[in-house]
């Protein structure tokens, strides 16, 4: 039922005087029942009651964790706190000890107040006292979390039935009914299993089959047989039947709540205290939030509230970080999407797909490990978070051309535009290229486009100009990566060869620049205090697409390596040995070991472990020399 249908039926029930019954609003956990009742239904009821001659007040009472009828009664009593204060004020002129006691009691917390009442009330039940003060039919009771109440079901429904039949009160129950009917048997399950193990019971069936009396060789009853015995003694169907019997006496109408999740999501966003900028992005994404929930069959609004609390904190951290202005909004969209996907997976216990293609799609949808860590544990690592965002800018945003980008426009429209229009867009694209506004990822696209234009008559000089600008950019880059030279998709052998030739020439420049950067970087690292940590990070960074094919030791003089190693403390030497084991794994052959070998030999010869005074450091240097010797020995054949 929709919100309006439930409101209409509830108001009809409240005005119905034909017979006494309660109504049940049924809905799954987290679907927004409580939110709807607190923020929508209560207001509609109050508005309708104001038009009555004797308007009734609403008492909303959660039964979460109540273990007895007395607990429920206490919750009801504390629901009358406001009215009780008013009544005590009217008695303020008297010296009644009960009035003073009650007034002080209501100033206490519920837990303290309940304890004080039990100690000083001469055995009187707080509910009995309160019910003498108030007429129950003057109230509309809303009992929420019925399925989370630990009180026996027959006692709970019997008590509520007393309110309905004897007190003539209107009662609205709120629950996930599917969980009510199974509550009773599970509460008694331990005793049921004990009785099922009783040796005095004859388990033989009418045909003489003793299936339920079967025991193992050790004389013990198996779990499967035990469960079958329990079901014979205590059929779940009978428990459900008992629930239906109690239910039919009390509940006259059941209203199945089907929330407008999209609408509630927007309301939650609009009511949140999050910043205006991020709020606009959240509202823009409201449909995609619902889509993610739908795909994962997880329409739990508590998950969305959980997400809002997480994204609010992440936004405060993001807002003080510095990123290029042109990427800021896209980064926020990424932040919101990634945080929401991790939230749904975590709160919905969504399993990781096992199928290869599904897993690949799943992994591609979530990118930030720092966001995942914060969502799942509450631990926020600022540097990792910032690095994840930086990588997203480099790998995604800088490679994504806006719709109005001149290169993008040319690529999609040149074949039906005028020559002048194409020339104007080309000049605009060349200017952006010259200013370093295009990433390496779009260079191949640019080259292919120029090849297409040359084929229909544009001058060859365009390719020369573009290639020159690309080379100039690469010589200034910190971590250039080779262009993809697989041009199988290009039609025509001549066009394919033209593109391949340009890509190969540019890749030669990239390789030279990469080697230059590594040569400079390794040398600089060995002069720093934390050189081993930097070396570890360096070989695990984007500089290396395949670390087993990259020469490392040759990037600096052997004397510099020896000095760095012999001046390091035992802890750093141990870390260096760990790094060395990873670089020269026993089952991996390094492609460029031949280049490193001369330097490695010099390092081994240059380390004089016996000259070290500190015994621990001497031991580490000795182990390191032995490790290097084993590496050299293992590579002799290769």
């Amino acid at each position: 039922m929709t919100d309006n249908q439930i409101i209409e039926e509830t108001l009809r029930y409240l005005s119905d005087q034909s017979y006494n019954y309660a109504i049940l609003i049924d809905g799954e956990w987290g679907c927004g029942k409580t939110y709807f009742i607190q923020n929508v239904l209560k207001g509609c009821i109050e508005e309708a009651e104001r038009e009555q001659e004797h308007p009734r007040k609403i008492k909303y009472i959660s039964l979460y964790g109540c273990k007895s009828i007395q607990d429920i009664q206490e919750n009801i009593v504390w629901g009358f706190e406001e009215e009780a204060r008013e009544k005590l004020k009217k008695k303020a002129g008297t010296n009644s000890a009960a009035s003073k006691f009650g007034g002080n009691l209501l100033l206490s917390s519920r837990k303290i107040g309940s304890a004080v009442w039990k100690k000083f009330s001469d055995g009187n039940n707080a509910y009995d006292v309160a019910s003498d003060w108030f007429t129950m039919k003057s109230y509309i009771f809303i009992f929420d979390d019925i399925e989370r109440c630990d009180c026996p079901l027959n006692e709970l429904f019997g008590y509520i039935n007393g309110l309905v039949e004897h007190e003539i009160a209107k009662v609205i129950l709120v629950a996930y009914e599917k969980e009510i009917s199974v509550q009773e048997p599970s509460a008694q399950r331990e005793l049921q299993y004990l009785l099922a193990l009783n040796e005095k019971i004859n388990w033989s069936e009418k045909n003489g089959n003793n299936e339920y009396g079967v025991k193992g060789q050790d004389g013990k009853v198996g779990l499967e047989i035990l469960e079958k015995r329990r079901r014979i003694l205590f059929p779940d169907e009978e428990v459900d039947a008992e629930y239906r019997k109690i239910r039919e006496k009390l509940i006259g109408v059941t209203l199945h709540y089907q929330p407008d999740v999209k609408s509630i999501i927007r309301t939650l966003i609009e009511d949140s205290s999050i910043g205006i900028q991020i709020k606009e992005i959240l509202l823009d994404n409201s449909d995609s939030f619902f889509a993610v929930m739908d795909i994962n069959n997880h329409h739990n609004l508590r998950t969305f509230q959980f997400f809002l609390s997480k994204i609010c904190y992440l936004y405060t951290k993001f807002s003080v970080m510095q990123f290029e202005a042109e990427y800021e909004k896209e980064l926020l969209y990424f932040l919101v999407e990634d945080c929401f996907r991790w939230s749904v997976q975590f709160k919905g216990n969504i399993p990781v797909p096992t199928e290869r293609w599904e897993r690949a799609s799943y992994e591609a949808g979530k990118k930030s490990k720092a966001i995942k860590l914060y969502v799942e544990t509450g631990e926020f690592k600022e540097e990792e978070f910032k690095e994840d965002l930086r990588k997203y800018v480099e790998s995604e945003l800088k490679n994504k051309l806006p719709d109005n980008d001149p290169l993008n426009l040319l690529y999609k429209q040149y074949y039906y535009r005028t020559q002048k229009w194409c020339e104007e867009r080309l000049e605009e694209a060349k200017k952006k290229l010259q200013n370093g506004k295009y990433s390496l990822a779009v260079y191949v696209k640019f080259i292919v486009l120029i090849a297409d234009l040359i084929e229909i008559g544009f001058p060859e000089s365009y390719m020369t100009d573009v290639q020159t600008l690309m080379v100039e950019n690469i010589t200034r880059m910190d971590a250039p990566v080779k262009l993809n030279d697989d041009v199988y998709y290009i039609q025509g052998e001549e066009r394919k060869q033209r593109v391949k030739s340009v890509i190969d020439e540019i890749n030669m420049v990239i390789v030279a620049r990469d080697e230059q950067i590594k040569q400079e970087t390794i040398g600089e690292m060995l002069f720093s205090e934390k050189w081993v940590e930097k070396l570890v990070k360096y070989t695990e960074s984007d500089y290396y697409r395949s670390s087993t094919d990259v020469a490392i030791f040759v990037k600096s003089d052997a004397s510099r390596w020896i000095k760095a190693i012999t001046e390091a403390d035992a802890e750093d030497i141990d870390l260096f040995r760990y790094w060395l084991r990873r670089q020269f794994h026993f089952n991996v052959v390094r492609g460029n070991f031949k280049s490193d070998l001369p330097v490695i030999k010099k390092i081994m010869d240059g380390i004089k472990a016996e000259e070290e005074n500190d015994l621990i450091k001497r031991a580490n240097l000795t182990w390191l020399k032995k490790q290097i010797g084993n590496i050299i020995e293992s590579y002799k054949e290769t």
Side-chain angles (χ1 to χ4, degrees):
M1 297 177 70
T2 65
D3 291 8
N4 289 336
Q5 288 172 329
I6 290 179
I7 291 168
E8 183 179 347
E9 181 58 26
T10 301
L11 295 180
R12 186 206 62 77
Y13 157 71
L14 294 176
S15 63
D16 187 1
Q17 303 298 325
S18 58
Y19 78 104
N20 300 321
Y21 61 95
I23 64 171
L24 170 66
I25 298 178
D26 172 41
E28 293 185 11
W29 284 333
C31 72
K33 301 187 301 295
T34 300
Y35 181 87
F36 163 70
I37 288 162
Q38 294 278 34
N39 294 277
V40 181
L41 185 60
K42 279 179 66 177
C44 294
I45 294 173
E46 288 167 350
E47 185 178 348
E49 287 297 312
R50 281 195 289 269
E51 298 177 359
Q52 304 300 318
E53 184 178 353
H54 301 289
R56 293 165 291 187
K57 288 188 176 181
I58 299 172
K59 292 299 169 190
Y60 174 86
I61 299 155
S62 172
L63 302 185
Y64 195 112
C66 290
K67 299 182 184 301
S68 65
I69 295 301
Q70 188 173 351
D71 287 347
I72 297 170
Q73 289 177 334
E74 276 192 14
N75 281 2
I76 292 175
V77 168
W78 286 95
F80 288 120
E81 179 183 352
E82 185 180 338
E83 288 88 339
R85 286 178 184 275
E86 293 300 320
K87 287 186 177 290
L88 287 168
K89 282 180 182 179
K90 292 179 181 178
K91 293 186 176 183
T94 69
N95 293 321
S96 167
S99 297
K100 292 178 182 178
F101 170 65
N104 291 331
L105 192 63
L106 289 170
L107 295 175
S108 306
S109 69
R110 176 178 299 192
K111 188 173 182 179
I112 295 172
S114 298
V116 171
W117 179 275
K118 290 173 184 176
K119 187 174 180 66
F120 296 106
S121 60
D122 298 326
N124 291 324
N125 186 296
Y127 177 76
D128 293 336
V129 175
S131 60
D132 288 340
W133 285 6
F134 307 108
T135 304
M136 294 299 177
K137 67 179 180 179
S138 300
Y139 297 91
I140 297 167
F141 292 96
I142 301 177
F143 291 105
D144 200 353
D145 301 311
I146 301 294
E147 73 279 17
R148 293 188 174 96
C149 179
D150 294 328
C151 182
L153 193 63
N154 59 339
E155 293 182 23
L156 170 63
F157 276 24
Y159 172 73
I160 294 175
N161 188 65
L163 283 177
V164 171
E165 285 198 347
H166 305 300
E167 302 287 353
I168 320 298
K170 290 293 184 179
V171 174
I172 301 169
L173 306 177
V174 185
Y176 182 21
E177 190 174 24
K178 182 181 177 182
E179 296 299 320
I180 298 177
S181 58
V182 298
Q183 180 182 6
E184 194 70 14
S186 63
Q188 307 295 330
R189 191 83 22 118
E190 295 88 348
L191 292 174
Q192 293 174 5
Y193 282 127
L194 284 173
L195 287 170
L197 288 170
N198 195 310
E199 295 292 339
K200 294 182 179 180
I201 299 175
N202 181 4
W203 295 102
S204 299
E205 297 181 38
K206 291 180 180 180
N207 59 7
N209 184 10
N210 195 26
E211 177 187 356
Y212 300 119
V214 173
K215 294 183 179 179
Q217 292 181 352
D218 56 359
K220 296 179 180 179
V221 177
L223 292 175
E224 185 177 351
I225 299 300
L226 180 62
E227 178 61 22
K228 287 181 178 179
R229 286 183 177 187
R230 186 196 69 78
R231 288 179 179 275
I232 289 175
L233 293 175
F234 306 98
D236 290 344
E237 293 79 5
E238 289 185 10
V239 178
D240 286 340
E242 184 64 23
Y243 165 71
R244 288 194 294 272
K245 190 185 298 182
I246 299 171
R247 181 193 188 285
E248 287 171 7
K249 177 174 175 57
L250 174 63
I251 300 170
V253 177
T254 299
L255 310 177
H256 298 284
Y257 180 62
Q258 294 176 325
D260 183 352
V261 177
K262 287 185 181 180
S263 176
I264 295 174
I265 284 175
R266 293 189 67 86
T267 301
L268 289 172
I269 295 170
E270 288 167 351
D271 292 346
S272 67
S273 57
I274 201 166
I276 295 175
Q277 184 183 22
I278 191 71
K279 183 177 286 189
E280 290 176 355
I281 291 173
L282 290 171
L283 290 170
D284 286 345
N285 277 275
S286 58
D287 287 345
S288 64
F289 293 146
F290 178 78
V292 172
M293 287 178 155
D294 221 30
I295 291 170
N296 292 286
N297 194 27
H298 183 73
H299 300 93
N300 194 309
L301 290 167
R302 290 194 187 93
T303 295
F304 192 79
Q305 290 173 313
F306 170 81
F307 155 72
L308 282 178
S309 71
K310 294 292 182 180
I311 195 63
C312 184
Y313 178 80
L314 290 175
Y315 175 67
T316 60
K317 294 295 183 181
F318 173 84
S319 61
V320 296
M321 294 178 179
Q322 298 296 321
F323 293 99
E324 295 174 72
E326 60 187 297
Y327 300 125
E328 188 174 303
K329 191 169 185 179
E330 289 291 339
L331 272 175
L332 281 174
Y333 274 100
F334 162 72
L335 186 62
V336 166
E337 181 181 337
D338 210 49
C339 181
F340 185 70
R341 289 181 181 276
W342 285 125
S343 298
V344 170
Q345 181 195 323
F346 174 58
K347 284 296 188 178
N349 292 315
I350 310 299
V352 176
T354 54
E355 291 293 333
R356 186 175 177 182
W357 68 271
E358 288 182 340
R359 187 181 179 88
S361 176
Y362 166 87
E363 295 295 344
K366 308 180 189 70
K367 296 180 174 63
S368 173
K369 291 183 179 179
I371 294 176
K372 179 179 187 291
L373 179 69
Y374 174 64
V375 166
E376 295 181 355
T377 69
E379 181 182 359
F380 180 73
K381 294 188 175 181
E382 188 166 342
E383 289 304 315
E384 284 84 346
F385 175 70
K386 191 172 183 178
E387 180 63 15
D388 284 347
L389 295 182
R390 185 197 66 77
K391 285 182 177 179
Y392 183 72
V393 170
E394 295 297 327
S395 63
E396 300 285 341
L397 299 185
K398 287 190 175 180
N399 299 336
K400 181 181 177 183
L401 295 175
D403 291 338
N404 62 348
D405 180 83
L407 177 58
N408 207 22
L409 291 171
L410 265 172
Y411 198 83
K412 294 178 179 179
Q413 302 179 20
Y414 79 88
Y415 46 84
Y416 65 80
R417 291 286 190 171
T418 65
Q419 178 182 340
K420 183 181 179 183
W421 183 89
C422 290
E423 289 171 345
E424 289 172 351
R425 301 294 84 72
L426 269 172
E427 291 304 319
E428 290 173 6
K430 282 169 60 180
K431 188 172 183 179
K432 286 192 69 173
L433 181 63
Q434 185 176 16
N435 293 330
K437 296 298 184 180
Y438 289 131
S439 70
L440 274 172
V442 301
Y443 278 19
V444 172
K445 186 175 186 177
F446 209 149
I447 294 167
V448 171
L449 172 66
I450 299 298
D452 289 344
L453 293 174
I454 289 172
E455 189 175 34
I456 61 174
F458 280 70
E460 292 271 357
S461 59
Y462 277 119
M463 184 69 82
T464 304
D465 293 345
V466 166
Q467 186 174 345
T468 301
L469 292 172
M470 289 179 177
V471 168
E472 289 176 358
N473 288 340
I474 290 166
T475 58
R476 295 190 294 268
M477 290 181 182
D478 292 331
V481 179
K482 288 173 67 174
L483 304 183
N484 184 2
D485 60 358
D486 190 357
V487 291
Y488 68 91
Y489 55 89
I490 296 178
Q491 299 292 325
E493 195 59 33
E494 186 178 341
R495 288 172 64 227
K496 187 178 296 185
Q497 287 304 317
R498 176 184 282 120
V499 171
K500 181 76 163 56
S501 174
V502 174
I503 290 175
D504 288 345
E505 289 176 13
I506 290 176
N507 276 340
M508 288 175 63
V509 178
I510 290 174
V511 170
R513 175 59 180 162
D514 193 46
E515 291 297 315
Q516 180 189 6
I517 291 168
K518 289 168 185 171
Q519 177 76 41
E520 293 170 353
T521 307
I522 291 289
E524 292 169 1
M525 282 181 188
L526 295 177
F527 279 101
S528 63
E529 184 180 350
K530 297 290 185 181
W531 65 273
V532 186
E533 292 180 16
K534 291 181 178 180
L535 188 63
V536 171
K537 290 181 180 179
Y538 179 77
T539 52
E540 292 179 355
S541 73
D542 292 339
Y543 285 125
Y544 289 93
R545 288 299 176 266
S546 176
S547 62
T548 59
D549 293 328
V550 178
I552 298 172
F553 288 93
V554 75
K555 303 303 181 187
S556 188
D557 293 336
S559 60
R560 183 58 245 167
W561 284 99
I562 294 167
K563 183 175 174 59
I565 292 168
T566 54
E567 291 181 356
D569 58 24
E571 185 178 3
D572 277 345
I573 295 171
D574 181 67
L575 180 60
F576 179 70
R577 291 181 58 233
Y578 170 76
W579 170 82
L580 202 59
R581 282 195 298 273
R582 292 191 61 181
Q583 294 301 309
F584 295 93
H585 199 270
F586 70 91
N587 63 353
V588 177
V589 177
R590 292 184 59 88
N592 282 7
F593 176 75
K594 189 174 180 180
S595 301
D596 278 336
L597 183 57
V599 180
I600 291 175
K601 285 182 176 179
K602 289 180 181 179
I603 293 171
M604 186 177 71
D605 295 338
I607 296 174
K608 308 296 181 183
E610 65 279 2
E611 296 178 3
E612 175 56 48
N613 294 325
D614 185 275
L615 294 177
I616 303 299
K617 184 174 176 180
R618 184 194 303 172
N620 272 279
L621 289 172
T622 302
W623 296 331
L624 175 59
K625 287 192 70 170
K626 185 177 179 180
Q627 184 178 344
I628 294 174
N630 290 336
I631 291 170
I632 294 171
E633 189 67 26
S634 67
Y635 272 80
K636 272 185 177 180
E637 294 183 7
T638 60

